[in-house]
Amino acid sequence: MCSLRRGTRLVVVLLCGAALLAGRPTAADGEPGGGTGADSGLSERVARLYEDAAAATQRYETGRRAAQAKQAEVRRLEELLGRERRETAVLREDLGRIARAQYRDGGGLPVVAQMLLAAGPERLMRGQHLFSQANLAVDNALEKSRRAETRLAADEARAVAVWQEIERRRVELAGLKQDLEDRLEQARWVLQGQADASVAAGACRGAVRLDQPPARVGPWVTPVETYTLSAGFGSGGDRWANRHTGQDFAVPIGTPVRAVGAGRVVRVACGGAFGIQVVIRHADGYCTQYAHLAAVTVDQGDRVTAGQWIGQSGTSGNSTGPHLHFEARVTPELGSSVDPVPWLAERGVPVA
């Protein structure tokens, strides 16, 4: 602020000039404009790999659910096979019983021998009738047994084929997912290496413009979509001078970081304990900080909307591992933070 209580006009002019210079982003605070082509390409590659990994995960889950359905089909087939095996065993026992009965009753004697041994025509006719019935029963039993054996063999082959398809698809999906994760992990650390170089030099590389996700419903969102909470507001630790001033969201390097609400970017900075950071002032006067980034996708002065990607998470600055350090502040400056979890909850965004 230019003050008229500073004395001479020359002093006033000098102070005003200094204030104007301080208000402009410096090399350490991030120059407006895009990053280099290599930087942009790498950030885009990481973002694209995240999308591919998400799509692969979705396919993996779809395949897993399909496999579960196939497993249910296999279990049904196994139950059917169990019944068919029991029926086949009963049929075989019936054939054995018929064969033993024929042997005891002379069912295997030639017709001429039966005629010679018969006590009379009526006895002979009755014997022939019983013989025909026995043969018919044997033929029916044999045919039924053959059908059961054929059906059993077909169902066993079908069950094996289903299991083989489940295993083939599982291996294929797991391989695809692992390949994407390996490529993503490699790209993450290259991106983090660039961030570390920027922090060491104290100069941000500039915004990397990425394709934005679909518009979000609602005026407020969480700073990252999926996460695990780690260090909370006010917690102690030997890495902080007093108490922890924000909420940490444990996420992998390169995770898209979102503006929690609409506002204007008032700071993009590199270096110091927070590494690469972005600070946004919102319409209600509060500010939010996003720190330890690996890359930024906005410049100082940019207007942002709720859910817009403003950077990619990392582990720059005073950080023990990949995470997003998020603060809600009364002013843009360090030391004015409030607990961000209830702050977000008041805006309809529960954090758990």
Side-chain angles (χ1 to χ4, degrees):
M1 178 69 67
C2 299
S3 175
L4 296 178
R5 293 177 294 175
R6 293 292 185 180
T8 68
R9 185 174 180 179
L10 177 59
V11 173
V12 172
V13 171
L14 289 174
L15 287 173
C16 289
L20 289 172
L21 288 173
R24 295 177 58 194
T26 64
D29 287 338
E31 290 288 345
T36 66
D39 296 344
S40 177
L42 180 59
S43 287
E44 289 174 358
R45 182 183 172 211
V46 171
R48 188 165 56 251
L49 283 171
Y50 263 100
E51 293 175 355
D52 291 345
T57 299
Q58 189 173 22
R59 288 197 298 273
Y60 183 85
E61 288 301 308
T62 301
R64 183 182 60 80
R65 288 191 292 270
Q68 287 178 334
K70 287 287 187 182
Q71 287 170 348
E73 181 182 354
V74 168
R75 286 192 293 271
R76 184 184 62 78
L77 284 172
E78 288 176 342
E79 292 174 1
L80 176 62
L81 288 172
R83 290 196 301 271
E84 289 176 347
R85 290 188 183 102
R86 290 191 293 274
E87 291 173 1
T88 301
V90 169
L91 288 172
R92 288 171 179 163
E93 180 61 29
D94 288 345
L95 286 173
R97 189 166 50 252
I98 291 171
R100 291 191 296 272
Q102 281 189 311
Y103 178 79
R104 286 194 303 269
D105 298 339
L109 290 175
V111 176
V112 174
Q114 291 182 36
M115 292 177 64
L116 293 174
L117 296 174
E122 182 180 345
R123 190 73 175 268
L124 176 63
M125 292 299 293
R126 187 162 63 86
Q128 280 295 102
H129 179 68
L130 292 174
F131 177 72
S132 297
Q133 283 186 322
N135 276 341
L136 182 61
V138 170
D139 289 342
N140 287 340
L142 285 171
E143 179 60 26
K144 190 174 182 180
S145 179
R146 279 194 293 268
R147 287 199 303 269
E149 293 282 358
T150 301
R151 188 169 60 250
L152 178 62
D155 287 342
E156 284 178 335
R158 183 182 172 194
V160 170
V162 170
W163 273 118
Q164 289 175 341
E165 173 62 19
I166 290 173
E167 181 62 15
R168 184 194 67 78
R169 186 60 176 159
R170 185 195 67 78
V171 171
E172 177 185 340
L173 288 171
L176 174 64
K177 189 168 178 285
Q178 187 61 51
D179 177 62
L180 280 170
E181 288 175 352
D182 290 344
R183 285 191 285 148
L184 180 57
E185 184 68 8
Q186 182 180 11
R188 282 171 180 155
W189 287 106
V190 175
L191 184 66
Q192 182 59 46
Q194 291 183 347
D196 292 340
S198 295
V199 171
C204 290
R205 291 176 287 126
V208 175
R209 304 300 181 179
L210 299 178
D211 292 336
Q212 290 295 321
R216 301 282 173 179
V217 177
W220 299 94
V221 297
T222 54
V224 284
E225 193 164 1
T226 58
Y227 54 85
T228 299
L229 295 179
S230 49
F233 180 79
S235 59
D238 57 6
R239 300 189 68 83
W240 307 300
N242 296 299
R243 293 287 179 176
H244 195 230
T245 54
Q247 175 63 57
D248 286 350
F249 294 79
V251 288
I253 294 168
T255 300
V257 175
R258 313 184 295 184
V260 297
R264 185 174 68 86
V265 178
V266 296
R267 179 174 299 156
V268 176
C270 298
F274 288 119
I276 300 175
Q277 61 168 309
V278 172
V279 179
I280 298 172
R281 188 192 297 276
H282 303 282
D284 59 4
Y286 282 93
C287 297
T288 51
Q289 181 213 30
Y290 313 78
H292 305 308
L293 302 177
V296 294
T297 62
V298 291
D299 284 316
Q300 190 165 309
D302 284 356
R303 292 283 180 179
V304 295
T305 59
Q308 180 178 331
W309 288 353
I310 59 170
Q312 291 167 294
S313 65
T315 183
S316 59
N318 185 14
S319 172
T320 57
H323 72 284
L324 169 70
H325 175 85
F326 174 75
E327 290 190 17
R329 296 174 173 177
V330 177
T331 74
E333 307 305 325
L334 176 65
S336 64
S337 59
V338 297
D339 191 339
V341 172
W343 186 86
L344 285 169
E346 290 171 2
R347 288 153 178 78
V349 182
V351 174

